[in-house]
Coordinates of all heavy atoms in Angstrom, one line a residue:
Chain A
S22 N -55.0 7.8 -101.7 CA -56.4 7.7 -102.2 C -56.6 8.7 -103.3 O -56.0 9.8 -103.3 CB -57.4 7.9 -101.1 OG -57.3 9.2 -100.6
Q33 N -59.4 18.9 -113.7 CA -58.5 19.0 -112.6 C -58.7 17.8 -111.7 O -59.7 17.2 -111.6 CB -58.8 20.3 -111.8 CG -58.0 20.5 -110.6 CD -58.6 20.0 -109.3 OE1 -59.8 19.8 -109.3 NE2 -57.8 19.9 -108.3
V34 N -57.6 17.4 -111.0 CA -57.6 16.2 -110.1 C -56.8 16.5 -108.9 O -55.9 17.3 -108.8 CB -57.0 15.0 -110.9 CG1 -55.5 15.2 -111.1 CG2 -57.3 13.7 -110.1
T35 N -57.3 15.9 -107.8 CA -56.6 16.0 -106.5 C -56.4 14.6 -105.9 O -57.3 13.8 -105.9 CB -57.5 16.8 -105.4 OG1 -57.6 18.1 -105.9 CG2 -56.8 16.8 -104.1
L36 N -55.1 14.3 -105.6 CA -54.7 13.0 -105.1 C -54.2 13.3 -103.7 O -53.7 14.3 -103.3 CB -53.6 12.4 -105.9 CG -53.8 12.4 -107.4 CD1 -52.5 11.8 -108.1 CD2 -55.0 11.7 -107.8
R37 N -54.5 12.3 -102.8 CA -54.2 12.4 -101.4 C -53.2 11.4 -100.8 O -53.2 10.3 -101.3 CB -55.5 12.4 -100.6 CG -56.4 13.6 -100.9 CD -57.7 13.6 -100.2 NE -58.5 14.8 -100.5 CZ -59.2 15.0 -101.5 NH1 -59.4 14.0 -102.5 NH2 -59.9 16.1 -101.7
C38 N -52.5 11.8 -99.8 CA -51.5 10.9 -99.2 C -51.4 11.1 -97.7 O -51.4 12.3 -97.3 CB -50.1 11.3 -99.9 SG -48.7 10.5 -99.1
S39 N -51.4 10.1 -97.0 CA -51.1 10.1 -95.5 C -49.8 9.5 -95.3 O -49.5 8.4 -95.7 CB -52.2 9.3 -94.8 OG -53.4 10.0 -94.9
V47 N -42.9 14.8 -97.2 CA -43.6 14.0 -98.2 C -43.1 14.4 -99.6 O -43.0 15.6 -99.8 CB -45.1 14.3 -98.1 CG1 -45.9 13.6 -99.3 CG2 -45.7 13.8 -96.8
W49 N -43.6 13.7 -103.9 CA -44.5 13.1 -104.9 C -43.7 12.8 -106.1 O -42.8 13.5 -106.5 CB -45.6 14.1 -105.2 CG -46.7 14.3 -104.2 CD1 -46.7 15.1 -103.2 CD2 -47.9 13.5 -104.1 NE1 -47.9 15.0 -102.4 CE2 -48.6 14.0 -103.0 CE3 -48.5 12.5 -104.9 CZ2 -49.8 13.5 -102.6 CZ3 -49.7 11.9 -104.5 CH2 -50.4 12.4 -103.4
F62 N -42.3 17.1 -106.6 CA -41.9 18.0 -105.6 C -41.9 17.4 -104.2 O -42.4 16.2 -104.0 CB -42.7 19.3 -105.6 CG -44.2 19.1 -105.7 CD1 -44.9 18.3 -104.8 CD2 -44.9 19.8 -106.7 CE1 -46.3 18.1 -104.9 CE2 -46.3 19.6 -106.8 CZ -47.0 18.8 -105.9
Y64 N -42.6 18.3 -99.9 CA -43.1 19.2 -98.9 C -42.5 18.9 -97.5 O -42.5 17.7 -97.1 CB -44.7 19.1 -98.8 CG -45.3 20.0 -99.8 CD1 -45.5 19.6 -101.1 CD2 -45.7 21.3 -99.5 CE1 -46.0 20.4 -102.1 CE2 -46.2 22.2 -100.5 CZ -46.4 21.7 -101.8 OH -46.9 22.5 -102.7
F79 N -48.9 21.5 -111.8 CA -48.7 20.5 -110.7 C -48.5 21.3 -109.5 O -47.5 22.0 -109.4 CB -47.6 19.6 -111.0 CG -47.8 18.6 -112.1 CD1 -47.8 18.9 -113.4 CD2 -48.1 17.3 -111.8 CE1 -48.0 18.0 -114.4 CE2 -48.4 16.3 -112.8 CZ -48.3 16.7 -114.1
S80 N -49.4 21.2 -108.5 CA -49.2 21.9 -107.2 C -49.6 21.0 -106.1 O -50.1 20.0 -106.3 CB -50.0 23.2 -107.2 OG -51.4 22.9 -107.3
G81 N -49.2 21.5 -104.9 CA -49.5 20.6 -103.7 C -49.7 21.4 -102.5 O -49.6 22.6 -102.4
L82 N -50.0 20.6 -101.4 CA -50.2 21.1 -100.1 C -49.7 20.1 -99.1 O -49.8 18.9 -99.4 CB -51.7 21.4 -99.8 CG -52.4 22.6 -100.4 CD1 -53.9 22.5 -100.1 CD2 -51.8 23.9 -99.9
Q83 N -49.3 20.6 -98.0 CA -49.0 19.7 -96.8 C -49.8 20.2 -95.6 O -49.8 21.5 -95.4 CB -47.5 19.5 -96.5 CG -47.3 18.4 -95.4 CD -45.8 18.3 -95.1 OE1 -45.1 19.2 -95.1 NE2 -45.4 17.1 -94.8
F84 N -50.4 19.4 -94.9 CA -51.2 19.8 -93.7 C -50.5 19.6 -92.4 O -49.4 18.9 -92.4 CB -52.5 19.0 -93.8 CG -53.3 19.2 -95.0 CD1 -53.3 18.3 -96.0 CD2 -54.1 20.4 -95.2 CE1 -54.0 18.5 -97.2 CE2 -54.8 20.6 -96.4 CZ -54.7 19.7 -97.4
N86 N -50.9 17.8 -90.0 CA -50.7 16.4 -89.6 C -49.7 15.7 -90.6 O -49.6 14.4 -90.5 CB -52.0 15.6 -89.5 CG -52.7 15.5 -90.9 OD1 -52.2 16.0 -91.9 ND2 -53.8 14.8 -90.9
Y87 N -49.1 16.4 -91.5 CA -48.1 15.9 -92.5 C -48.7 15.2 -93.7 O -48.0 14.8 -94.6 CB -47.0 15.1 -91.8 CG -46.3 15.7 -90.7 CD1 -46.1 15.1 -89.5 CD2 -45.8 17.0 -90.8 CE1 -45.5 15.7 -88.4 CE2 -45.2 17.7 -89.7 CZ -45.0 17.0 -88.5 OH -44.4 17.6 -87.5
S88 N -50.0 15.1 -93.7 CA -50.6 14.5 -94.9 C -50.5 15.5 -96.0 O -50.2 16.7 -95.8 CB -52.1 14.1 -94.7 OG -52.8 15.3 -94.4
S89 N -50.7 15.1 -97.2 CA -50.4 15.9 -98.4 C -51.4 15.7 -99.5 O -52.0 14.6 -99.6 CB -49.0 15.7 -98.9 OG -48.7 16.4 -100.0
E90 N -51.5 16.7 -100.4 CA -52.3 16.6 -101.6 C -51.5 17.0 -102.8 O -50.6 17.9 -102.7 CB -53.5 17.6 -101.5 CG -54.6 17.2 -100.6 CD -55.8 18.1 -100.7 OE1 -55.7 19.2 -101.4 OE2 -56.8 17.9 -100.0
L91 N -51.7 16.3 -103.9 CA -51.2 16.7 -105.2 C -52.3 17.1 -106.1 O -53.3 16.4 -106.2 CB -50.4 15.5 -105.8 CG -50.1 15.6 -107.3 CD1 -49.1 16.8 -107.6 CD2 -49.5 14.3 -107.8
N92 N -52.3 18.3 -106.6 CA -53.3 18.9 -107.5 C -52.7 19.0 -108.9 O -51.6 19.5 -109.1 CB -53.8 20.2 -107.0 CG -54.4 20.1 -105.7 OD1 -55.5 19.5 -105.5 ND2 -53.7 20.7 -104.7
V93 N -53.4 18.6 -109.9 CA -53.0 18.8 -111.3 C -54.2 19.4 -112.0 O -55.3 18.9 -112.1 CB -52.6 17.4 -112.0 CG1 -52.0 17.7 -113.4 CG2 -51.7 16.6 -111.1
C106 N -46.6 8.7 -103.7 CA -46.2 9.5 -102.5 C -45.2 8.7 -101.7 O -45.3 7.5 -101.6 CB -47.5 9.8 -101.8 SG -47.3 10.4 -100.1

Side-chain angles (χ1 to χ4, degrees):
Chain A
S22 63
Q33 178 266 343
V34 69
T35 298
L36 311 181
R37 294 178 175 82
C38 170
S39 291
V47 173
W49 286 92
F62 45 53
Y64 276 83
F79 286 79
S80 63
L82 284 173
Q83 187 180 33
F84 301 99
N86 65 355
Y87 305 131
S88 65
S89 178
E90 286 183 356
L91 165 65
N92 300 291
V93 187
C106 163

